[in-house]
Amino acid sequence: MYQKTSDFSKWYIDTIQKADLMDYTPVRGCIAFKPDGYELWEHIQEEMDKRFKETGHRNAYFPMLIPESFFQKEKDHIEGFSPELPWVTEAAGEKLEERLALRPTSETMIGHLYSNWIKSYRDLPVLINQWANVFRWEKKTLPFIRTSEFLWQEGHTAHVDEEEARKETMQMLTIYKEVVEELLAIPVYDGQKTRSERFAGAVDTYSIEAMMQDGKAVQAGTSHYLGTKFAEAFDIKYLNKENKHTYVHTTSWGTSTRLIGSVIMVHGDEKGLVLPPKIAPTQVVLIPVGPWKKNPAIMEKLNEIFAALKAKGARVRLDDSDQSPGYKFNEWELKGVPVRIELGPRDLEKNHALMKARDEGEKISIPLESIIESIEKELETMHTRLFEKAKAFRTENSHTHIDSLKQLKQHLGESEQNETIPGWILAGWCGDNICEENVKEQTKFTTRNIPFNPPITKHTCIHCGKEAKHTVWFARAY
Ligand SMILES: [Zn+2]
C-alpha cells in the first residue's frame, strides 16, 4: 500500500492524469470529466439509482438558479452556505431585480415547491431524488474531492412524522454504506456527526467516513433528519386524519463525485490507478503477445474470448494496436484495469493463457477451456481482496489508545519523525463544542463521526478529561 504522506497529493494528481480521467479548465476549481472518469460516476449512479428506486424513490429535476430570498428563510442554512455561493446578478444585459444563486443544494427550492405539492396526509410520503450539479465556491480545490462545481445526487423526502422521517434518514445511510462497500470496495464507518459538523439547517446529520491511504478521512455520504425546520421556513403543511394542519418532517441525503476521488485514494498503488472491478470502465483487457501477427490463430482465439466475455456482460477490450506488449501492459495498468490476459503462440500451443490481476504481483497461467470462468472468478475475488486490504489498512491506522491531547500531540510528533501516517484516533468527548474546537485548532484533527459501533467505548474527554458522553472518530479530513 502507498503510505508516503509527503508526496501523496502529487501521486494523486499524477495518477488521475496518467489514467486520463479528467482535465482542468480555465474556470478555477471546475474540471472536465473525461470518458473514463465519467464512466466511473455512471456505474456509481446506476447502482445507487437502482437501490433508491427499490426503496420507493423517484427521480425529478429542479432549477439550478435559486432566488436569494429563499436562502433568507432558514437562518442556519444561509449562515452555512452563503460564504461559498456564486451569484447570477444580470441577464440579457440587465441587472436582475433579485439575484440568483447557483444552487449549493436544493432544500430551499424544493421546500418552496413541496409547500404547494403537499396538502393532505394522502400526499405523503414524498420520496424524490435529484441527479444534478451543484456549486460551492471552494478556496482550495482538488479534482473529484473538492471542486467548485460537482455532480451529485440529493434526496429530499417529506413524511407525516418524526419516526417515519428518522427511519428514512437511517435507511438511506445504510444504502450508502452498502453501495460504497459492495461496489467500491471501500470500508466505511457509519455514525452521527457532532453539532458543529452537521449540515446547515439539519436537526441531526449522519455520515459514512472512509480512510484514504494518507490517513485522511473523506466524508463519503451524508443523510440528514431536518425535523420541521424547513417545513416551518417554507410552510409545508398537510391536513392530517383529524383534519388538523400539521408540519411535515423532512430529510435530505447526498453522495457526490468525491466517491471517485475516494476510490483512487483508497485503492491506488505506486504504479497508479487500481480500479475495483465493479466500476472499472474496462474490466478485462486482452493482449496478443509474441509473434502473434504471423499466427492468425492468436487473434481468432482472442476474438472468441472477447465475444464470450461480452455476451456475459463484462466490459472487455482487445488491444491489437501495433505498440509493443510492454507498452500496452503499462498503459492499461495506468488505467487501473482489473484483469489483463496475455496470449501468444507458445501459450496457445500449451492451451493456456496468462492472467494478471492489477493488484497482484504475479501472472498466473490459466487453461483456455475454462478461461471465461477464471476471469469472472478473478473479478469477484479481486473485489474482496481490495476490500479486505483497505479494511486491514484502516485497522492498522486506527488508534484507540490515545486518551489526551498531550498523547495525541506525541503521536503526531512520532508519526512525523518516522514518516508514518497519523491515521485516525478513537477518543472520548464530553460533548462540549470548546473541547472539539481546541483539538481542531491544535492538531487539525476534526470529529468525523460518533460511530454506531465503535471498536471500544471511551470514558474520558480527550480535551478536558471529564466524563465522555460520546466515543468519536477524530481525523484530518479532505
Ligand atoms: Zn471535554
Side-chain angles (χ1 to χ4, degrees):
M1 282 259 177
Y2 193 91
Q3 285 204 40
K4 279 187 211 136
T5 48
S6 49
D7 35 40
F8 190 76
S9 52
K10 183 183 178 300
W11 168 86
Y12 177 73
I13 299 291
D14 282 354
T15 294
I16 55 180
Q17 286 187 325
K18 283 179 185 157
D20 206 25
L21 300 181
M22 54 72 70
D23 203 358
Y24 294 101
T25 72
V27 185
R28 200 192 61 89
C30 294
I31 61 164
F33 287 66
K34 295 185 83 171
D36 277 341
Y38 193 72
E39 192 171 331
L40 295 173
W41 182 234
E42 287 181 307
H43 294 306
I44 293 169
Q45 253 184 326
E46 279 160 24
E47 187 60 32
M48 292 269 186
D49 207 61
K50 192 181 96 193
R51 300 201 192 206
F52 295 164
K53 285 173 180 159
E54 279 168 2
T55 45
H57 303 86
R58 297 188 69 198
N59 289 326
Y61 187 78
F62 301 91
M64 189 170 70
L65 299 173
I66 299 182
E68 182 169 23
S69 55
F70 279 23
F71 285 96
Q72 307 300 347
K73 292 189 178 181
E74 215 296 317
K75 175 174 83 22
D76 295 334
H77 194 65
I78 183 72
E79 268 174 34
F81 283 105
S82 67
E84 40 189 54
L85 290 180
W87 294 97
V88 175
T89 56
E90 59 175 81
E94 277 179 43
K95 201 164 177 292
L96 297 177
E97 265 175 48
E98 180 178 7
R99 57 181 188 157
L100 304 167
L102 299 184
R103 65 177 161 219
T105 177
S106 303
E107 277 76 4
T108 57
M109 175 59 81
I110 289 175
H112 167 80
L113 292 162
Y114 279 9
S115 72
N116 296 326
W117 297 358
I118 298 166
K119 298 292 175 208
S120 140
Y121 68 90
R122 292 185 192 88
D123 300 325
L124 293 168
V126 174
L127 306 173
I128 284 180
N129 175 63
Q130 164 169 253
W131 290 99
N133 59 340
V134 281
F135 294 83
R136 295 177 191 177
W137 222 247
E138 303 281 359
K139 284 198 187 79
K140 238 181 117 185
T141 63
L142 187 63
F144 299 123
I145 291 287
R146 191 173 289 274
T147 48
S148 302
E149 179 190 14
F150 57 93
L151 304 178
W152 82 341
Q153 59 70 215
E154 48 180 321
H156 295 272
T157 68
H159 305 264
V160 285
D161 59 18
E162 173 168 358
E163 192 193 345
E164 194 185 294
R166 284 195 178 274
K167 219 170 129 194
E168 166 79 6
T169 309
M170 287 306 151
Q171 170 183 257
M172 301 325 286
L173 191 75
T174 305
I175 289 178
Y176 288 161
K177 182 171 157 67
E178 285 170 3
V179 173
V180 171
E181 296 194 337
E182 292 166 21
L183 189 80
L184 309 182
I186 298 176
V188 291
Y189 281 115
D190 49 354
Q192 184 173 4
K193 285 284 188 187
T194 64
R195 274 191 306 281
S196 71
E197 294 280 334
R198 74 188 169 204
F199 176 75
V203 174
D204 285 313
T205 289
Y206 301 87
S207 73
I208 51 169
E209 305 277 335
M211 186 190 287
M212 305 298 107
Q213 284 185 74
D214 60 352
K216 281 194 187 172
V218 164
Q219 177 178 289
T222 48
S223 188
H224 318 288
Y225 168 61
L226 304 173
T228 55
K229 286 173 117 180
F230 284 88
E232 286 172 43
F234 289 91
D235 203 31
I236 319 172
K237 278 191 232 156
Y238 70 99
L239 267 182
N240 67 13
K241 286 181 185 167
E242 287 76 46
N243 232 18
K244 270 169 80 180
H245 285 283
T246 315
Y247 284 120
V248 296
H249 289 249
T250 62
T251 81
S252 67
W253 26 275
T255 53
S256 74
T257 37
R258 12 177 46 192
L259 287 174
I260 298 173
S262 308
V263 164
I264 301 162
M265 287 189 177
V266 168
H267 299 302
D269 64 14
E270 57 288 337
K271 280 188 234 154
L273 191 63
V274 176
L275 288 176
K278 291 178 192 170
I279 58 158
T282 302
Q283 296 169 309
V284 186
V285 61
L286 310 174
I287 300 178
V289 298
W292 59 277
K293 282 183 185 161
K294 289 180 217 149
N295 193 332
I298 299 294
M299 280 306 287
E300 257 168 51
K301 190 71 202 170
L302 285 177
N303 276 316
E304 191 188 301
I305 298 168
F306 178 87
L309 284 170
K310 262 246 137 74
K312 293 257 188 182
R315 298 185 287 275
V316 55
R317 296 278 290 267
L318 172 51
D319 188 351
D320 59 355
S321 66
D322 59 5
Q323 298 284 4
S324 73
Y327 179 91
K328 291 180 192 176
F329 296 170
N330 186 50
E331 279 291 285
W332 292 105
E333 273 186 350
L334 293 178
K335 285 187 173 293
V337 173
V339 171
R340 177 176 90 217
I341 299 292
E342 304 167 21
L343 186 73
R346 253 183 292 168
D347 303 311
L348 195 57
E349 259 169 46
K350 288 188 236 159
N351 224 9
H352 75 190
L354 291 177
M355 176 166 75
K356 165 87 171 64
R358 174 62 184 81
D359 63 321
E360 296 267 77
E362 302 295 320
K363 297 175 189 181
I364 58 166
S365 170
I366 50 170
L368 283 175
E369 67 260 23
S370 55
I371 190 165
I372 305 301
E373 292 74 24
S374 302
I375 292 170
E376 282 184 318
K377 198 169 158 239
E378 188 58 35
L379 291 172
E380 280 295 319
T381 51
M382 180 174 168
H383 172 90
T384 311
R385 226 163 37 228
L386 291 180
F387 182 73
E388 292 304 329
K389 210 194 254 183
K391 213 170 166 182
F393 177 85
R394 185 180 71 171
T395 305
E396 201 182 307
N397 294 290
S398 295
H399 306 287
T400 55
H401 65 282
I402 292 164
D403 289 312
S404 68
L405 194 53
K406 194 177 154 211
Q407 284 175 344
L408 175 55
K409 284 181 180 170
Q410 202 176 347
H411 169 72
L412 293 176
E414 280 164 17
S415 64
E416 200 168 317
Q417 208 167 22
N418 304 331
E419 283 191 57
T420 55
I421 62 173
W424 296 13
I425 64 153
L426 188 72
W429 175 50
C430 64
D432 194 334
N433 284 353
I434 295 165
C435 290
E436 193 183 5
E437 192 52 44
N438 270 319
V439 174
K440 182 179 174 178
E441 250 172 43
Q442 295 181 44
T443 64
K444 294 194 190 122
F445 269 56
T446 53
T447 54
R448 300 324 309 154
N449 66 24
I450 303 164
F452 297 140
N453 300 300
I456 57 167
T457 303
K458 295 293 197 142
H459 302 288
T460 56
C461 176
I462 183 168
H463 184 254
C464 67
K466 287 183 197 151
E467 195 187 339
K469 281 201 188 114
H470 307 286
T471 299
V472 185
W473 282 116
F474 285 83
R476 288 179 181 151
Y478 280 102

